[in-house]
Every structure is written in structure tokens, then in C-alpha cells.
Amino acid sequence: MDINAVKSAYRRYAPGYDLCFGPILDQGRRKAVAKMNCRPGERVLEVGVGTGLSLPLYESSVQVVGIDISPEMLERAEVLRERLCLGNVAALKEMDAERMAFPADSFDKVVAMYVVSVAPDPVRVVNEMRRVCKPDGELFIVNHFRHPNRLMGFIERLVSPLSNMIGFKPDFSLDEFLRKTQLDVLERMPVNFFGYWTMLRATNRK
Ligand SMILES: C[S@@+](CC[C@H](N)C(=O)[O-])C[C@H]1O[C@@H](n2cnc3c(N)ncnc32)[C@H](O)[C@@H]1O
């Protein structure tokens, strides 16, 4: 995946994204926000916020900032913020998650839902998530990882040369991701249909 391929994939997806990926990925979003268990006044960063489908799930006492590389996805998040009067959504910014403009230790919790297998360099994304998250804050990642079933894994490998076109890597390995990021995982939970996706909760030890 390269960043231009990501931008062009999500330019194409933006108009139909909510219809296609709204309900299918909804449970993962809800479980992640519930697990975040945010306290009033906490600051949350949503990396790859997309069309903002998760934004209404936060309590109004929690301040949320969203970033995304795709202006077309963000435009829809902005419309949603205005339509639902989400005053707690402090900002929606066009920004590369691999090079964030925030100072270190800016957020209590940082979450990336369905993003790490889309971004060109997932390790850099996680390193940036760590940097902008406060020490002992929490990081949340929801994603599909390579399926352990041999047939499913084979199909995912078969489709993987099309990653740039489909806008994500279908055979993204969890073991490799954890080895390279050295995430301090506290909890791992299957989410969505047949547990095909995984939610990770990690502590941000610095
Ligand atoms: C599958 S969508 C997920 C959107 C949203 N989180 C959701 O739950 O529906 C992936 C999003 O990640 C964004 N993205 C991918 N790479 C990125 C990067 N390097 N920086 C910022 N956003 C990125 C894409 O533009 C897209 O909006």
C-alpha cells in the first residue's frame, strides 16, 4: 500500500462507505468505545476516523479529535458532526497518522479502528499513537488479521496483490504486527461476524 493508493481507494469508497462498512463493522466500533471506558474530560484521538461512524458512540463529556488522510472521508465526518451537533468532537483534521502534528503526551486514549492494515507503514502509525498518548494511557486497535484457518488464509494471500486497489491488506499478520510494534497488549478480543476481526487493548508504557 502507498499513501496515494490509500487516498484514491477512500476517495472511491467515501460515497458508499457507510452503507457498505457501517453495519458490518459496527460491533467492533461499539466494543472498542465501551472498552475505552472514558471518564468525563478525557481526550481521545481517533486515528483514521473515516466518515466518523464511531463519533456518536462517545459520551458528550469526552473530548474527541479525529484525523484522516482522506479529505472525502473527513467531509462526511464533518457533516455528521454538524448534523448530530457533536460539540464534544473538538477537531477533525486531515493528517497522516504516520507523521502526526500533535505534541507528545496529548491524549489519554488513542484508537485506530480498521486502519492499521490500510496505512502504508503500520509500525510508524503505532509509534505515533504511542508518542501522542500519555504515559500509562491506553491504545486500542480494531482490525482484521490474517485468518488462522488454512483455506481462509490461502484466499487472503491470493487476494493480497490487489491491496492497493481494495484499500487494505487482507493477509495482515497479527504475530508480525505484535513482534514489530512490541505493543504491550492487555486484552485481545474477537469482534464482528464470526470474530473475523480482533480488538486489542494495550497500555502505553513509555
Ligand atoms: C477502513 S477505513 C476505517 C474508518 C473508520 N475508522 C471506521 O471505523 O469506519 C480506514 C481509514 O483509514 C484512513 N487512513 C489510512 N491510512 C491513513 C494514514 N496514514 N493516516 C491517516 N488516515 C489513514 C483512510 O483514509 C480511511 O478513512
Side-chain angles (χ1 to χ4, degrees):
M1 300 283 304
D2 66 69
I3 204 73
N4 289 324
V6 173
K7 285 186 187 177
S8 89
Y10 285 89
R11 186 179 308 128
R12 264 187 288 115
Y13 279 139
Y17 185 87
D18 291 3
L19 201 64
C20 277
F21 299 105
I24 289 180
L25 305 178
D26 186 58
Q27 191 207 46
R29 295 185 191 99
R30 286 180 188 280
K31 282 200 170 167
V33 175
K35 273 283 166 194
M36 287 166 85
N37 195 20
C38 293
R39 291 186 297 274
E42 279 192 337
R43 268 171 66 79
V44 171
L45 174 65
E46 274 256 0
V47 174
V49 65
T51 58
L53 290 168
S54 54
L55 296 175
L57 304 176
Y58 293 93
E59 294 288 335
S60 58
S61 57
V62 176
Q63 207 189 85
V64 186
V65 172
I67 63 164
D68 204 285
I69 199 73
S70 163
E72 292 82 5
M73 295 289 275
L74 274 177
E75 262 170 40
R76 287 171 163 76
E78 192 62 65
V79 169
L80 187 73
R81 167 165 78 160
E82 276 170 31
R83 185 163 56 82
L84 301 183
C85 303
L86 300 173
N88 62 317
V89 177
L92 293 168
K93 291 176 189 282
E94 191 178 326
M95 196 186 290
D96 186 349
E98 295 176 21
R99 292 164 198 80
M100 295 190 206
F102 305 112
D105 308 344
S106 297
F107 298 94
D108 298 286
K109 283 160 188 164
V110 182
V111 57
M113 303 192 207
Y114 315 110
V115 177
V116 288
S117 63
V118 174
D121 189 340
V123 178
R124 277 184 86 148
V125 172
V126 172
N127 287 343
E128 278 293 85
M129 289 173 71
R130 276 208 181 102
R131 183 183 67 78
V132 301
C133 184
K134 292 178 184 171
D136 296 324
E138 286 191 320
L139 309 173
F140 295 79
I141 288 169
V142 183
N143 218 83
H144 167 65
F145 295 95
R146 183 185 296 157
H147 205 280
N149 174 282
R150 284 178 63 182
L151 177 64
M152 290 300 290
F154 174 72
I155 295 170
E156 289 169 358
R157 266 197 306 282
L158 217 58
V159 183
S160 69
L162 303 176
S163 295
N164 274 338
M165 202 180 86
I166 59 179
F168 64 94
K169 306 171 202 94
D171 70 335
F172 191 60
S173 157
L174 175 59
D175 290 342
E176 202 177 313
F177 176 68
L178 293 179
R179 184 174 52 76
K180 288 186 176 168
T181 56
Q182 294 290 303
L183 270 174
D184 211 337
V185 175
L186 299 174
E187 208 172 340
R188 187 165 149 175
M189 179 190 283
V191 293
N192 299 329
F193 296 104
F194 309 110
Y196 193 68
W197 286 260
T198 301
M199 191 198 69
L200 302 172
R201 180 169 75 91
T203 186
N204 193 34
R205 294 226 171 83
K206 288 198 178 178

